Amino acid sequence: MTNLTPVDHKVKHKSTIPANFGTEIELFVREYKDTGSGGTPKPVLMLHGRSVPALPGCDLVLPADGSPPQPDTSLSWAQALAGKGYNVYIMDLQGSGLSPRPEMHDPCNANPAQRSLLKTYPGTDDCDPTANYPFQLGNSQSEWDELGTVVKFIRKRCANEKVAFIGWSAASFVMGPYALRKPGDVASMFLLAPMFPPQRPMVDEHRRPLRSASRNAPAHEARVKAARGLRLPDEPDQQGGPPSRHQ
């Protein structure tokens, strides 16, 4: 596959993360342009999961082995899609990859229950063992807000075309509810290994299988209601506590 040239953007966004609420930050977005199919560009947005940032997850490029210095791009989803005629965008949410990491510079901000994992980090011996950092790094609403800012940025660049979503793992918690709330922004959605709670099949009084719980109307209504809050059912609080419900 021919190596394509990335165009990296810093998309301005007013943060809604509690730790830096109201601060104007810059979200990292990488773009690979359609290589010449002609017509209106069809935009695709790729979003990482919880533990692997955008570039190694969606644009893995291996160093060249010997000469000439041509890196191996065969593992890059993004470049493969761009080679098929799409305008491909990859983004990092705050706290991941090349986007800002608010308040992560201070190890004492870690949850006290997890601080022992950082005990070899210089300076953690001076942390107050009883103090709890009062902010989440992020929450569902802040992630939807960041996704929305990038979608707006992409649509402006692509003749207001709807954006196709590709999400890996925990990206399902961001892209799925966003698509429910703003279907006018989303052309299609593909979720790889989505992190959704397991569902039991529904049965009637004769023990005959009905539609799966995810397609059962009451269950679907519950998910829509959950999407209008800040967190899906059973999503853990990012500070290690029970699911949180914010107004």
Side-chain angles (χ1 to χ4, degrees), residues 162-180:
K162 293 184 179 182
V163 181
F165 283 175
I166 296 179
W168 185 334
S169 188
S172 59
F173 285 124
V174 186
M175 287 181 153
Y178 182 93
L180 284 173

Side-chain angles (χ1 to χ4, degrees), residues 93-230:
L93 296 167
Q94 281 194 86
S96 185
L98 298 178
S99 286
R101 303 181 182 186
E103 302 300 333
M104 292 176 68
H105 59 280
D106 185 353
C108 292
N109 286 338
N111 187 330
Q114 300 170 341
R115 203 173 286 163
S116 62
L117 300 173
L118 300 174
K119 62 183 178 181
T120 59
Y121 192 100
T124 54
D125 291 339
D126 298 329
C127 297
D128 184 344
T130 62
N132 190 10
Y133 181 52
F135 302 116
Q136 296 170 313
L137 173 59
N139 54 48
S140 296
Q141 185 64 59
S142 69
E143 291 175 347
W144 296 337
D145 292 341
E146 291 170 26
L147 178 61
T149 291
V150 173
V151 167
K152 183 178 180 180
F153 169 79
I154 293 171
R155 296 192 70 183
K156 185 176 180 179
R157 292 177 62 84
C158 296
N160 206 36
E161 285 287 308
K162 293 184 179 182
V163 181
F165 283 175
I166 296 179
W168 185 334
S169 188
S172 59
F173 285 124
V174 186
M175 287 181 153
Y178 182 93
L180 284 173
R181 300 173 76 191
K182 297 190 176 181
D185 282 344
V186 184
S188 62
M189 179 165 53
F190 173 72
L191 300 176
L192 178 66
M195 288 179 59
F196 286 126
Q199 303 292 337
R200 294 182 180 180
M202 304 293 289
V203 296
D204 65 10
E205 65 273 15
H206 301 294
R207 310 303 296 170
R208 292 177 299 193
L210 297 175
R211 295 174 295 178
S212 67
S214 61
R215 293 183 176 273
N216 178 265
H220 174 72
E221 182 182 359
R223 284 191 171 277
V224 171
K225 289 180 178 179
R228 290 172 180 160
L230 295 188

Side-chain angles (χ1 to χ4, degrees), residues 3 7 11 27 48 72 75 89 91 117 122-123 127 140 145 166 171 173 206 237 240:
N3 181 235
V7 179
V11 179
L27 297 169
H48 57 86
D72 178 8
L75 299 178
Y89 296 83
M91 70 171 290
L117 300 173
C127 297
S140 296
D145 292 341
I166 296 179
F173 285 124
H206 301 294
D237 184 278

